[in-house]
Amino acid sequence: MEYESLEEFRERAGYEIEGVWYPRVTSIVSIKAKPALLRYYGGMRSFKAADDMKEASAREGTMVHEAVAAIAAGRHDVVVDSLVQPSVDAFIGFLRNNHVEPLLIEERVVNREHGYAGTVDMVARVNGIVGVLDIKTGKRIYRDYGMQTAAYIAAVSERNDIERPTTSWVLRLDQCRTCELCGVMLRTKGGAFRVSAGGKGCTHRWGAMQGLFEFAELPHTEQNMKAFLASKTLWEWEHKEFLERLTQ
């Protein structure tokens, strides 16, 4: 990501906590190349069209995150936009099928040893195990997510007021329509319509929009943390000028 000014860099790339500026976890991991994102941009009619759709998808993702956080906190006055209701219903279904005790929800955490901060979606006891629970709304679970959650584990582990997380999971929330004739799925995100492979020659009769969830543990926390710290080194190299100006 490019920044126009030091102020923009300070605001978008990090957090100031107790008078100290820390880079954000999500800013750091963004330095890694993302082949799937490149393929996405390459398949669109223009860069602007791809960017507009990406921003629309991000807004939908934010709506899901806000609703999920409120429900996890036990609020009963949650108003959910109909656009993302199936995904939120999928989260409720996840809660029904698992014993989830939230310990932290949407809370900023800091790792002072390595100098970074981030906002963790949730730290929870899930079926008896304490871990970082990261909510995603993309079309699949990517290996890269392990770097982000490993960084959160290390940050939460510096606290004395919460049990140390021993693992991390991604909970992917999605929604789609299924063809009643051939079984392929139609996924709508950010205004885009994508049909899964198969169903060639079918005229398609789409059913109602349904939410779905995918829950997966992210293994190899130690290796993922090494990858995160390597990304942090590269990120610091890339933004050396801004970082030097921040300390002046």
Side-chain angles (χ1 to χ4, degrees):
M1 180 179 289
E2 295 184 355
Y3 302 95
E4 298 294 329
S5 65
L6 178 62
E7 190 56 39
E8 182 187 10
F9 177 77
R10 181 197 299 273
E11 178 67 24
R12 298 182 62 189
Y15 299 112
E16 187 162 323
I17 301 171
E18 297 176 354
V20 179
W21 188 89
Y22 296 94
R24 300 185 189 192
V25 171
T26 50
S27 296
I28 291 168
V29 298
S30 70
I31 198 71
K32 182 188 176 296
K34 295 175 174 57
L37 185 60
L38 295 176
R39 286 194 295 271
Y40 160 76
Y41 272 92
M44 299 296 290
R45 67 180 183 274
S46 69
F47 184 87
K48 184 180 185 306
D51 241 17
D52 289 346
M53 196 169 295
K54 184 168 172 283
E55 288 182 11
S57 295
R59 286 193 294 271
E60 292 173 21
T62 297
M63 287 190 285
V64 172
H65 274 78
E66 289 175 348
V68 162
I71 292 168
R75 284 178 47 192
H76 301 289
D77 59 344
V78 183
V79 178
V80 180
D81 192 297
S82 60
L83 187 65
V84 297
Q85 184 68 61
S87 291
V88 176
D89 290 341
F91 177 68
I92 295 170
F94 168 74
L95 294 180
R96 288 187 184 132
N97 285 277
N98 296 273
H99 185 270
V100 181
E101 178 191 351
L103 305 176
L104 298 177
I105 301 172
E106 287 290 331
E107 185 153 338
R108 194 166 296 172
V109 294
V110 184
N111 183 285
R112 291 179 173 81
E113 178 185 359
H114 297 294
Y116 65 83
T119 301
V120 62
D121 289 340
M122 201 180 304
V123 177
R125 183 175 284 104
V126 181
N127 301 325
I129 300 172
V130 174
V132 167
L133 179 60
D134 201 41
I135 308 296
K136 299 295 185 186
T137 57
K139 66 178 182 179
R140 63 173 60 98
I141 294 176
Y142 297 98
R143 183 185 176 203
D144 296 16
Y145 296 158
M147 292 195 299
Q148 184 177 352
T149 59
Y152 291 148
I153 288 175
V156 175
S157 296
E158 287 195 354
R159 297 175 55 146
N160 297 319
D161 60 339
I162 186 172
E163 187 176 338
R164 185 186 186 279
T166 59
T167 191
S168 65
W169 310 278
V170 164
L171 175 62
R172 189 179 74 86
L173 302 173
D174 206 351
Q175 54 193 52
C176 65
R177 299 178 188 269
T178 301
C179 176
E180 297 171 351
L181 302 176
C182 69
V184 301
M185 292 185 295
L186 172 67
R187 184 173 184 268
T188 305
K189 191 76 184 294
F193 298 85
R194 298 187 183 277
V195 179
S196 62
K200 188 176 181 180
C202 182
T203 56
H204 299 312
R205 186 170 68 217
W206 301 112
M209 186 73 76
Q210 299 290 326
L212 59 90
F213 70 82
E214 181 181 4
F215 181 58
E217 187 171 17
L218 300 176
H220 314 303
T221 299
E222 185 176 343
Q223 293 176 17
N224 291 336
M225 187 61 185
K226 288 179 180 178
F228 172 77
L229 293 176
S231 296
K232 184 172 183 288
T233 298
L234 180 58
W235 184 86
E236 290 168 342
W237 176 86
E238 177 72 14
H239 299 293
K240 180 174 181 290
E241 179 183 345
F242 281 132
L243 291 169
E244 287 178 345
R245 288 170 62 189
L246 276 176
T247 59
Q248 290 176 355

